[in-house]
Amino acid sequence: MKKEYLSLKGIHTVTKSRLTDDAAWDIQAELVRLESEGRYEEFKELLTEFNKEYGVESFVVENVTPTEGRTEIARALTGDLSAIAEIEINYVALGDDNTAENIADTALGNEVFRKQFSSRTHTDNIAYVTAFYTTGDTDGTYEEHGLFINGGAGADSGSIISRLLLGGLVKSAIETLTIDTAITINDA
């Protein structure tokens, strides 16, 4: 009989878009409205079209799934939580440290901006989380990105479930940044 082992694998599609005309700024405003109203399906559809039209850079990155995040999943499986919110991916963050990812990571190397996720859903054994950083959220050079379970608004809060390197991605004040994450729970 074949033994089964669970594994987590994160694939991240990183897209930078530049707002080059009034229509782009209007779409960004609509995206912010849909996000704030929790209309995630409409948000994702419009964001996909926005990134197709205004995208200037896109690449795919695999991540490290730190032990800290996997520990939270084990806690959930054994009922060691007081509320379901304790296992939700609820915050995303950018940082400027390019130190290699490590399964022992408990935070970003140097977190510089944090916000709540923009959308999240799942299909079967795949969790999808989107981070959408608007023109007004932040600008600068970013080396790393992370997803956090049970995080708060303060830097380095929550348990890191995913950390990836961005390779010195530069985001200006007229650009948005979208990081679409697919975390697959499968047999190793």
Side-chain angles (χ1 to χ4, degrees), residues 14 16 18 27 37 47 57 70 83 107 126 149 157 164 188:
V14 179
K16 183 169 67 170
R18 187 167 297 129
I27 294 168
E37 293 174 359
L47 181 60
E57 181 180 353
R70 290 181 281 129
I126 304 173
I149 295 171
S157 65
L164 63 135

Side-chain angles (χ1 to χ4, degrees), residues 96-102 105 109-110 143-144 163-165:
D96 62 7
D97 186 323
N98 66 359
T99 302
E101 307 107 315
N102 187 301
D105 288 339
N110 186 45
E143 297 284 354
E144 57 185 337
R163 178 170 180 255
L164 63 135
L165 294 182

